[in-house]
Amino acid sequence: MNLTKKRWMVLIASCLINLCIGALYAWSVFASPMAEYLSSVTHSTITTSSLAIVFSIANTVGPITMIGGGKLVRSIGPRWVITIGGVCFGLGMIVSGFAQSVGMLVLGFGLCCGLAMGMTYGCTVSNCVKFFPDKRGLVGGITTASYGLSSVIIPIIANKIMEETDVTMAFKCIGIAVVVIVCIASIWVIPCPDNFVPEGYKPFVEKSNSNVKNYTWKEMLKTPSFYIMILMMCSGAFMGMMIISQASPIAQKQVMLSSATASLIVSVLALFNTGGRIVGGIISDKIGQVNTLILLLLSSIVGLFLLVITKEGNLVTFLLGVCIIGLCFGGFMGIYPGFTNERFGAKYSSVNYGIMFIGFAVSGFAAPMMIGKLYTSTNSYVPAYYVAMVLSFVGILLAFLYKKVEKQS
């Protein structure tokens, strides 16, 4: 078997799988109609805000199965881990379609889909990055971009289904489709052998003569670099999760756009988020991961500043700021799988990246809560932008600290 050629099929299948489980980020399209549906079923007032806990839980629990799935990969292989995760994700969507209460929606979407996403996403990304030591940044960007692209495609499909039926049927149909597609696509996923070297890849030989080693998760936790890296991930993910969670309300309340135009802004943000994962990966392959992260953090400060100066009706600065933030956030998420692999080795990358992903989960939970509370107390989104700018600056300082620590070690 020629694994150098076979790895491309693994990449394509993994991207298709990530496209399915990326439905998690289509939550915004389900939230409002689901709030209306549950209000009619329970004969009580359930708002979109009261359902925010569902999405927060889904983002927070992912690292649990990402770490556990990473360990399971070495026992049963990525194909079965992905299949189990895909089936659980689909079942979570189906359970959400039968939800008669917020608690049942938390169980289906928040827990089942969130845990299944962590298991599947961690496996597809880490396995693909192992197969491409010659293109770590690019492949990390492509695999995470396919996940981000789902937030563009799934809302279109869900809206079409809801126009013909209702939100519960949209959950059920998408859930069934996810199970079928993931089970079929996983057939082409094979495990990457340890120390795999693609044909014609010379730089790997040069690197193997250095002090690079494969760190277990326990060894990784003993390094100061890990803590700097996970804090950098928190800093880089914060501004992205903050804007992604509130893009439509910001567009309507700060810029006074219509709901239709605000929906278009959300789609544009998703596209730049997707593109950023590929662009960030390509740039990191040329100038290095840390230099690229610094560039992205500097750019995110510019994007946030554009949002600060945006006034009512000022669509140009708002759209430019949103696009820059989407690009930077996507770049961060595209770089980190390869960054973790490069620093701590490929052998245990499934578990190691799962632990590193906790940094994203923390921001995924805290950022939406923070911007919501600050807006409620100040009736403005600007204070939240300043908080994110400070965190991006802290991320830059951490990047230089990382360089210093690595140079000393």
Side-chain angles (χ1 to χ4, degrees):
M1 182 188 299
N2 188 335
L3 290 179
T4 302
K5 293 181 179 179
K6 187 81 172 179
R7 62 180 182 161
W8 291 100
M9 185 58 70
V10 175
L11 177 61
I12 293 169
S14 298
C15 287
L16 184 59
I17 291 163
N18 283 355
L19 191 65
C20 290
I21 61 166
L24 191 80
Y25 277 88
W27 166 252
S28 60
V29 78
F30 297 108
S32 294
M34 201 62 190
E36 294 176 9
Y37 172 77
L38 291 177
S39 295
S40 65
V41 170
T42 60
H43 304 291
S44 60
T45 302
I46 296 176
T47 64
T48 304
S49 298
S50 64
L51 293 183
I53 187 65
V54 178
F55 187 59
S56 291
I57 289 174
N59 275 309
T60 305
V61 299
I64 298 172
T65 43
M66 196 175 286
I67 296 167
K71 292 184 177 181
L72 197 58
V73 163
R74 302 195 70 81
S75 301
I76 63 175
R79 179 181 298 163
W80 285 108
V81 172
I82 289 169
T83 301
I84 293 168
V87 170
C88 289
F89 190 96
L91 290 176
M93 294 290 283
I94 294 169
V95 168
S96 300
F98 285 102
Q100 300 289 303
S101 65
V102 176
M104 194 171 178
L105 194 58
V106 168
L107 174 64
F109 194 91
L111 290 175
C112 288
C113 291
L115 290 169
M117 181 281 295
M119 176 180 289
T120 309
Y121 176 78
C123 186
T124 54
V125 173
S126 60
N127 190 54
C128 285
V129 171
K130 284 182 184 178
F131 264 116
F132 291 86
D134 51 334
K135 298 179 178 67
R136 285 194 181 99
L138 174 62
V139 170
I142 291 173
T143 50
T144 56
S146 60
Y147 179 77
L149 187 62
S150 185
S151 58
V152 180
I153 297 173
I154 295 296
I156 298 172
I157 297 171
N159 278 320
K160 289 290 184 182
I161 298 172
M162 285 187 279
E163 286 174 5
E164 299 294 328
T165 54
D166 62 5
V167 64
T168 61
M169 186 57 67
F171 270 122
K172 295 169 188 174
C173 291
I174 292 173
I176 292 170
V178 167
V179 171
V180 173
I181 293 171
V182 171
C183 287
I184 293 174
S186 63
I187 295 172
W188 282 274
V189 176
I190 58 174
C192 179
D194 290 337
N195 301 319
F196 169 72
V197 182
E199 293 177 2
Y201 179 48
K202 300 299 181 183
F204 182 89
V205 177
E206 295 172 6
K207 289 182 180 180
S208 66
N209 292 328
S210 66
N211 293 323
V212 174
K213 60 171 284 188
N214 290 303
Y215 289 74
T216 65
W217 68 271
K218 291 181 180 179
E219 292 172 331
M220 180 179 73
L221 293 181
K222 293 178 181 178
T223 66
S225 297
F226 164 76
Y227 297 97
I228 299 172
M229 288 172 67
I230 197 170
L231 287 173
M232 269 199 292
M233 191 176 208
C234 281
S235 301
F238 194 91
M239 48 83 184
M241 293 306 296
M242 185 181 78
I243 301 301
I244 286 172
S245 67
Q246 297 292 320
S248 181
I250 291 172
Q252 294 179 61
K253 295 174 183 177
Q254 181 177 344
V255 196
M256 300 301 173
L257 300 178
S258 66
S259 58
T261 307
S263 297
L264 183 60
I265 295 294
V266 173
S267 296
V268 171
L269 173 61
L271 285 171
F272 274 83
N273 175 16
T274 301
R277 295 169 188 245
I278 298 174
V279 172
I282 293 172
I283 295 174
S284 71
D285 282 337
K286 296 186 179 300
I287 67 173
Q289 290 109 333
V290 181
N291 290 334
T292 307
L293 293 176
I294 293 171
L295 179 63
L296 292 172
L297 288 165
L298 283 170
S299 300
S300 71
I301 293 174
V302 174
L304 288 163
F305 178 74
L306 287 171
L307 296 185
V308 168
I309 64 174
T310 295
K311 307 298 180 184
E312 180 180 338
N314 198 339
L315 180 60
V316 175
T317 56
F318 176 69
L319 186 58
L320 187 58
V322 165
C323 290
I324 291 173
I325 291 169
L327 198 70
C328 293
F329 172 70
F332 240 83
M333 300 311 297
I335 288 170
Y336 251 81
F339 187 24
T340 307
N341 188 302
E342 181 81 20
R343 176 59 183 83
F344 299 110
K347 187 174 183 179
Y348 305 107
S349 61
S350 298
V351 176
N352 292 344
Y353 181 61
I355 296 173
M356 191 69 71
F357 201 74
I358 293 173
F360 169 82
V362 170
S363 290
F365 182 82
M369 305 279 284
M370 184 276 296
I371 190 172
K373 289 185 177 181
L374 282 178
Y375 181 80
T376 301
S377 61
T378 65
N379 199 35
S380 172
Y381 289 107
V382 172
Y385 301 151
Y386 282 124
V387 171
M389 288 171 73
V390 170
L391 288 174
S392 291
F393 181 72
V394 170
I396 294 171
L397 296 179
L398 287 168
F400 283 108
L401 177 61
Y402 175 86
K403 283 189 170 185
K404 182 177 180 180
V405 169
E406 286 296 292
K407 187 176 180 180
Q408 290 176 346
S409 63

